[in-house]
Amino acid sequence: MINKVGVIGAGQMGNGIAHVMAVAGIDVVLKDVSNEQLEKGLKVIETNLQRQVGRGKLTEEEMASALTRINPTITDDLMSDVDLVVEAATENEEIKKVILADICVKLKPETIIATNTSSISVTRLAAVTDRPDQFMGMHFMNPVPVMQLVELIRGIATNEETFEKVKQLTTRLNKTPTPAEDFPAFIVNRILLPMINEAVYTLYEGVGSVRAIDTAMRLGANHPMGPLQLADFIGLDVCLAIMQVLYEGLADTKYRPCPLLVKYVEAGWLGQKSGRGFYDYT
Ligand code: CAA
């Protein structure tokens, strides 16, 4: 039974993962590199919990007890007795490998490690740890408190007990687990990101304006958000990182990141989080 979870990274995905774990009655150790990052993440959790209270999805008491279950930290000391670690750091293979190699030696032997990577090989990440058999992908969708799906990805060495435990936990979070094989970007992002990249090409080639493209897909294909708005929401740096994994991993020019996407990221226009992307958020 998984009763205590360590979450590495208090950013967009990490704070959402901590939020849903705490609401499900699980104790959470939320780790990031600075107190400032932790405070930011905790503020987002509080706002999102409050939103759920406002909509009658949670009571004030449930919100208060969820908040007391989240223990923020910048050290690894509190990780020594967690049953599961979910790594939700930046979508960068080298950074993830350093974090994973470092944390695994601080855990009890039976602790499972899951990565929330949205595209990188689970097998390659597992290989830097001391427990590839107790390692797998647990890929949440953004916004985590709202989205129903969690993709579960086995690395080549993942054992069945690990997979089953994480699957049961996903159900306890009131989410739907879906298995995906360890191929670049798994299922959701293999399909979603080429669509977003194509939307950026559509803008780049002047087929439509930002608003026209988003309106077309919202009203013409019934998507809850247009693809460019969604790209801003995910983060243009994350979108580019996923396209690069697809392009390199599948060696097919159909995954070539749109030069306009590259340019926006180079400019620091990363979407909602930086105040500017395809839309202006200032
Ligand atoms: N935390 C908690 N609740 C939230 C929330 C958050 N961050 N954001 C929205 N909500 C809740 C609202 O309170 C509301 O709840 P009720 O149904 O109880 O009323 C509900 O979600 C709908 O929200 P809103 O009415 O404010 O706005 P909306 O109807 O426009 O929905 C949305 C917002 C859910 C984000 C919707 O626009 C949507 O589904 N967008 C697409 C999201 C998507 O595609 N995500 C996947 C991205 S890909 C990914 O994550 C994978 C990856 O690795 C990159």
Side-chain angles (χ1 to χ4, degrees):
M1 186 80 165
I2 292 172
N3 290 318
K4 187 168 180 185
V5 171
V7 178
I8 301 181
Q12 192 162 252
M13 298 307 289
N15 72 55
I17 295 167
H19 173 138
V20 295
M21 296 279 181
V23 167
I26 294 161
D27 289 327
V28 178
V29 177
L30 180 60
K31 191 196 161 193
D32 210 316
V33 288
S34 71
N35 284 319
E36 195 194 348
Q37 293 295 105
L38 285 169
E39 272 161 32
K40 254 189 179 162
L42 287 170
K43 224 175 161 52
V44 174
I45 294 174
E46 220 174 310
T47 306
N48 287 335
L49 284 168
Q50 195 63 61
R51 193 201 297 237
Q52 290 178 308
V53 171
R55 307 265 183 154
K57 299 261 158 90
L58 282 184
T59 64
E60 290 281 358
E61 294 70 39
E62 284 166 335
M63 170 172 169
S65 62
L67 284 172
T68 62
R69 278 190 204 106
I70 302 176
N71 301 290
T73 180
I74 53 168
T75 73
D76 291 331
D77 301 347
L78 299 175
M79 294 287 184
S80 59
D81 66 342
V82 298
D83 304 308
L84 166 75
V85 166
V86 182
E87 171 277 312
T90 313
E91 190 64 3
N92 174 300
E93 185 162 339
E94 293 319 309
I95 293 174
K96 284 187 187 293
K97 280 180 172 167
V98 170
I99 290 171
L100 290 165
D102 188 52
I103 193 73
C104 66
V105 293
K106 318 240 167 73
L107 306 172
K108 46 183 189 176
E110 60 272 32
T111 301
I112 293 172
I113 307 177
T115 173
N116 180 58
T117 180
S118 32
S119 60
I120 300 164
S121 162
V122 169
T123 299
R124 277 209 304 273
L125 294 176
V128 304
T129 73
D130 58 359
R131 61 195 76 192
D133 53 333
Q134 288 164 222
F135 188 103
M136 62 180 282
M138 186 181 197
H139 181 213
F140 290 83
M141 306 294 136
N142 188 20
V144 179
V146 181
M147 303 299 282
Q148 196 57 47
L149 184 81
V150 180
E151 278 182 308
L152 300 184
I153 305 111
R154 289 183 179 87
I156 197 165
T158 309
N159 67 33
E160 215 35 49
E161 191 188 339
T162 296
F163 189 85
E164 275 311 309
K165 277 191 178 165
V166 174
K167 188 174 166 192
Q168 275 168 24
L169 172 67
T170 305
T171 309
R172 247 171 95 199
L173 301 177
N174 277 324
K175 305 226 176 263
T176 304
T178 296
E181 294 304 319
D182 191 16
F183 276 80
F186 322 122
I187 296 175
V188 171
N189 286 335
R190 168 84 178 257
I191 298 169
L192 182 65
L193 265 295
M195 185 204 66
I196 288 175
N197 195 46
E198 199 59 31
V200 186
Y201 270 113
T202 309
L203 178 69
Y204 183 58
E205 291 168 13
V207 181
S209 66
V210 170
R211 282 193 195 281
I213 292 164
D214 276 354
T215 302
M217 292 306 286
R218 271 194 305 106
L219 304 185
N222 249 5
H223 289 194
M225 281 178 170
L228 299 174
Q229 187 192 1
L230 182 56
D232 275 359
F233 180 62
I234 292 170
L236 302 191
D237 52 340
V238 177
C239 291
L240 177 60
I242 298 171
M243 285 312 298
Q244 279 162 340
V245 168
L246 281 167
Y247 188 42
E248 283 158 26
L250 298 168
D252 190 326
T253 52
K254 75 178 175 184
Y255 300 111
R256 185 172 74 105
C258 178
L260 189 63
L261 179 61
V262 176
K263 203 158 243 182
Y264 271 46
V265 173
E266 285 171 350
W269 297 354
L270 307 182
Q272 257 182 42
K273 64 184 164 191
S274 75
R276 177 160 188 180
F278 294 108
Y279 294 88
D280 190 352
Y281 300 91
T282 52

